[in-house]
Amino acid sequence: MKIQMLGLCRFSLLSEGGFKVVHDTLEERRRHLYDPARLEQRFVWFEHVALPAWARQTDSDFTLVIAVAEDFPQPWLDRLRDLTARIPQIILELCPQGHHRDVCRHAMLRHADPGAERLVLFRHDDDDAVAVDYVEMSRRDLLRMRAMAEDHPLFFMDYARGFTLEYAEGEVHLNPQITHTLGVALNIVVPSGHDRGALDYPHHRLSTFMPGLCLSGPQMYLRGKHETNDSRPPSRGGSPFFFKPETTPAVLADRFGIDLPAFQMALRR
């Protein structure tokens, strides 16, 4: 079975709708998203948390689309181009103005492989991380579920074990959790030619659209928590699992490719 892993990451994507923080006008949202101090922090998380694992995937057969608006400002656009050029599987997509879901759907599906039997669609925020074997495990687990793929045109695979990575008062904390359909390391399996993208299915209501499986084995994700979050995730969600805090640097490096001292230094700058 030929499988395409296809993801979408919205980087301060200016559009109509799509944000929990409400703005009265598009210009007000533009000022908020493109505020230099906010962008600087988003870039720190993107460079030091989101990108490292994508560069180190044990299975390099994936496509990740980074979506920004056509008016994304300089010098930030060049900085984004420089960072993403280092990972050949990443495509930078400059999107025209429109409704959020329409923009995201078009940016994602125009890169779908028509020769794939199944697409594995996923969303990825610019301050989150997946494990370095996320692509490999996703493809392996889907092949093990061939019978389910034959019976269900749509279903999801939810990697539920991970962490909230919180930055507060100058300190980084790693909080272990098992949480369902969080939106990171969450795969939506669809047939070739499917006309909906990952953002067309609200992750918190995913089970109302399709059946799914919860896979709570390996630590598969980090969800970033800091003052510029749109969704304001809780510090501790779901069910905790046993974790030794003193192993934080090793876990971040081994599972997610993150250099904790470099990340902390960048945050303090």
Side-chain angles (χ1 to χ4, degrees):
M1 180 164 53
K2 184 177 180 182
I3 299 166
Q4 183 189 18
M5 294 285 300
L6 178 61
L8 179 74
C9 175
R10 302 158 294 169
F11 196 97
S12 297
L13 176 60
L14 180 65
S15 61
E16 301 163 15
F19 287 86
K20 291 183 172 63
V21 177
V22 177
H23 301 97
D24 293 331
T25 66
L26 199 62
E27 182 56 39
E28 183 182 343
R29 177 168 293 173
R30 180 182 285 107
R31 288 195 298 270
H32 167 73
L33 291 177
Y34 298 165
D35 174 74
R38 179 188 178 279
L39 283 175
E40 182 60 45
Q41 186 176 54
R42 302 303 296 198
F43 267 96
V44 167
W45 281 79
F46 184 63
E47 179 176 1
H48 292 275
V49 174
L51 284 184
W54 292 118
R56 294 168 175 79
Q57 286 297 308
T58 55
D59 181 344
S60 61
D61 185 8
F62 67 92
T63 300
L64 178 62
V65 179
I66 308 291
V68 297
E70 289 178 333
D71 69 347
F72 194 73
Q74 293 287 11
W76 308 100
L77 181 57
D78 283 346
R79 182 173 174 182
L80 190 59
R81 284 191 172 120
D82 289 343
L83 287 172
T84 56
R86 306 171 191 175
I87 304 174
Q89 297 88 346
I90 289 181
I91 298 171
L92 185 60
E93 187 79 18
L94 273 64
C95 303
Q97 188 58 54
H99 189 274
H100 191 74
R101 285 190 183 177
D102 294 337
V103 170
C104 291
R105 184 187 311 116
H106 178 74
M108 186 177 213
L109 293 184
R110 69 189 302 265
H111 299 287
D113 180 0
E117 296 175 57
R118 284 286 178 154
L119 305 181
V120 178
L121 307 178
F122 60 92
R123 58 196 289 166
H124 190 77
D125 286 351
D126 58 20
D127 53 359
D128 293 343
V130 292
V132 295
D133 57 358
Y134 165 66
V135 173
E136 178 185 355
M137 296 287 286
S138 296
R139 185 169 276 111
R140 185 202 69 178
D141 290 338
L142 177 53
L143 289 172
R144 289 175 171 177
M145 299 171 195
R146 186 182 293 269
M148 187 168 184
E150 292 174 354
D151 291 342
H152 300 281
L154 304 179
F155 68 94
F156 67 85
M157 298 161 51
D158 177 22
Y159 291 102
R161 184 183 296 262
F163 301 90
T164 294
L165 180 64
E166 181 177 11
Y167 179 69
E169 299 179 354
E171 297 295 331
V172 173
H173 304 280
L174 201 57
N175 301 315
Q177 61 187 39
I178 298 175
T179 306
H180 303 298
T181 62
L182 188 61
V184 56
L186 174 62
N187 296 333
I188 301 175
V189 184
V190 305
S192 178
H194 191 65
D195 62 357
R196 293 289 182 266
L199 273 294
D200 286 305
Y201 300 101
H203 63 87
H204 57 287
R205 295 195 293 115
L206 199 52
S207 60
T208 66
F209 297 98
M210 64 192 77
L213 292 172
C214 173
L215 304 167
S216 58
Q219 302 158 0
M220 198 61 82
Y221 69 83
L222 293 177
R223 191 175 192 198
K225 175 178 169 56
H226 49 88
E227 60 266 30
T228 67
N229 285 122
D230 178 56
S231 58
R232 310 296 187 202
S235 299
R236 298 182 184 275
S239 303
F241 60 86
F242 178 74
F243 174 73
K244 295 180 179 179
E246 62 269 22
T247 66
T248 292
V251 169
L252 289 178
D254 295 343
R255 288 299 293 155
F256 304 100
I258 294 172
D259 183 336
L260 180 57
F263 176 46
Q264 290 174 312
M265 185 178 299
L267 286 170
R268 290 166 185 151
R269 284 201 303 266

